[in-house]
Amino acid sequence: MASQFVDLHTHSTASDGTCAPADVVRLAHAAGLAGLALTDHDTVAGLPEAAAEAARLGLAFLPGIEISAIPPMPDGTLHILGYGIDPASPVLTEMTRALRDARATRNPRIVARLQELGIDITMDEVLAHARTQQQAGAERREHRDQSAAPDPSDPPTPVIGRPHIAALLVKRGVVPTMRDAFNEYLAQGGQAYFDKERLTPRDAITRIRQSGGVAVCAHPVQLRTTNDAHLEQVLKDLTDLGLEGLEVLHSDHTPALTEKYSALADKYALLKSGGSDFHGANKKDIPLGLANGRQIPRAWMDAITDRATARKHTP
Ligand code: AMP
Ligand code: ZN
Ligand code: FE
Ligand code: FE
């Protein structure tokens, strides 16, 4: 019987993952998944390569993106997944350009602070390291399967995030692990933490919808809402803004949280989503296709795909 499981939250070398987009698809195929969504931060650059590989291997593919919005709690995060977006949408192009500009403002500030702390790294070295990771991802894929579609000769520069800086700090021996890099320097409260300019939740959701996508609240555990009533209010507010789904299964969710989010999704008629949040070697303990040990039902992917398709047929 065909597999009934999918992964709807994954990152490639187009952002802060370490596997090429086509390689993420190949890993999904090897893991026996029936479908996959690629949801890189702030970019759709990996989608054509991933879609082509999915078509070649017979996997269902849902184009996606993950956008950071202003969170309701200052120490939390609000990430909105956009599923079924049209990668050619001008609204999307403009939004991702602005989001990358915000990173281009923040990342050098982080590096400058690290330099002040006596750590000898430059922004050029961060970029070069990200490029090297990207090329290594593409080469691994070629070694595994000569029949795979060729890589684009010059893939776009990866969207640079804190994991790239963390990986360079590990490579340089400044810290032993990525986790230490975040705890000491890059996470909120770390010595070199800087926030980046974010979209309001309204803008993030509206623009995803205008790009033909279905907006889904990612890993609600990371919202850090104060209690269940607060969480419910936040979800209700987001739903009023056009949110259509909730990520119920995620690697950060305990079984009890998954039960809670599932009940909330039912209560507010939200589509259910789930994924690993795979980042390759940048998050070594997160395997593709599993959300804290649990598999994600294919029916969830089909329902999201149907919603996005229906949207495109109703002006
Ligand atoms: P950025 O989008 O550049 O702010 O980086 C955010 C990304 O860094 C997230 O998507 C995660 O992949 C990663 N990240 C954030 N916080 C941590 C942490 N405490 N430990 C490890 N990775 C983290
Ligand atoms: Zn990430
Ligand atoms: Fe996220
Ligand atoms: Fe993610």
Side-chain angles (χ1 to χ4, degrees):
M1 197 179 79
S3 158
Q4 295 305 313
F5 299 106
V6 299
D7 193 333
L8 302 179
H9 191 156
T10 65
H11 297 268
S12 74
T13 48
S15 68
D16 57 4
T18 59
C19 296
D23 216 16
V24 179
V25 177
R26 291 173 47 72
L27 285 171
H29 184 251
L33 298 184
L36 182 85
L38 183 68
T39 54
D40 275 306
H41 301 282
D42 301 350
T43 184
V44 294
L47 296 179
E49 182 186 316
E53 192 70 354
R56 198 179 73 86
L57 294 171
L59 253 76
F61 184 72
L62 187 56
I65 192 167
E66 185 175 22
I67 305 291
S68 309
I70 299 168
M73 297 295 287
D75 63 341
T77 60
L78 172 54
H79 289 179
I80 311 273
L81 296 158
Y83 289 122
I85 33 127
D86 170 8
S89 152
V91 173
L92 193 71
T93 305
E94 169 55 24
M95 174 172 69
T96 53
R97 191 196 54 72
L99 292 168
R100 289 198 294 269
D101 284 353
R103 288 177 180 276
T105 304
R106 178 204 61 172
N107 292 335
R109 296 178 76 188
I110 296 177
V111 169
R113 174 58 55 84
L114 291 169
Q115 287 169 358
E116 282 168 23
L117 293 166
I119 298 162
D120 178 27
I121 65 166
T122 65
M123 205 49 226
D124 281 349
E125 289 165 345
V126 173
L127 278 167
H129 186 60
R131 273 285 194 193
T132 304
Q133 271 191 345
Q134 187 182 40
Q135 279 154 11
E139 276 159 24
R140 271 199 307 281
R141 178 165 70 87
E142 273 171 16
H143 284 141
R144 269 216 286 282
D145 185 354
Q146 298 299 330
S147 71
D151 291 310
S153 51
D154 192 15
T157 307
V159 169
I160 302 296
R162 287 177 286 164
H164 293 111
I165 304 174
L168 184 58
L169 291 176
V170 172
K171 184 175 170 235
R172 288 290 178 79
V174 176
V175 284
T177 66
M178 302 267 296
R179 178 181 295 272
D180 292 298
F182 272 92
N183 288 344
E184 274 190 51
Y185 298 109
L186 301 172
Q188 274 194 53
Q191 296 183 71
Y193 176 76
F194 288 96
D195 203 0
K196 60 183 183 297
E197 201 179 315
R198 291 161 200 272
L199 293 176
T200 62
R202 180 189 298 276
D203 280 349
I205 291 169
T206 303
R207 289 175 196 182
I208 285 169
R209 293 181 67 118
Q210 288 171 341
S211 311
V214 173
V216 171
C217 175
H219 41 62
V221 66
Q222 292 181 18
L223 287 164
R224 293 190 180 230
T225 41
T226 43
N227 53 41
D228 286 354
H230 185 209
L231 169 66
E232 201 159 333
Q233 187 59 50
V234 166
L235 289 179
K236 193 176 171 309
D237 291 345
L238 292 173
T239 303
D240 288 344
L241 295 173
L243 189 83
E244 294 182 83
L246 186 63
E247 193 172 47
V248 168
L249 282 166
H250 183 272
S251 294
D252 289 350
H253 293 173
T254 61
L257 284 175
T258 295
E259 290 315 307
K260 176 157 76 181
Y261 300 144
S262 182
L264 281 169
D266 288 337
K267 181 168 177 182
Y268 289 99
L270 291 165
L271 294 161
K272 292 175 192 176
S273 184
S276 59
D277 215 347
F278 178 76
H279 281 71
N282 274 345
K283 287 191 182 167
K284 290 195 180 66
D285 49 342
I286 296 183
L288 190 71
L290 288 179
N292 193 14
R294 292 178 61 173
Q295 291 180 293
I296 298 102
R298 172 171 188 160
W300 293 5
M301 177 179 190
D302 292 341
I304 295 170
T305 304
D306 288 350
R307 181 72 63 90
T309 307
R311 166 91 29 79
K312 286 174 189 76
H313 295 291
T314 12

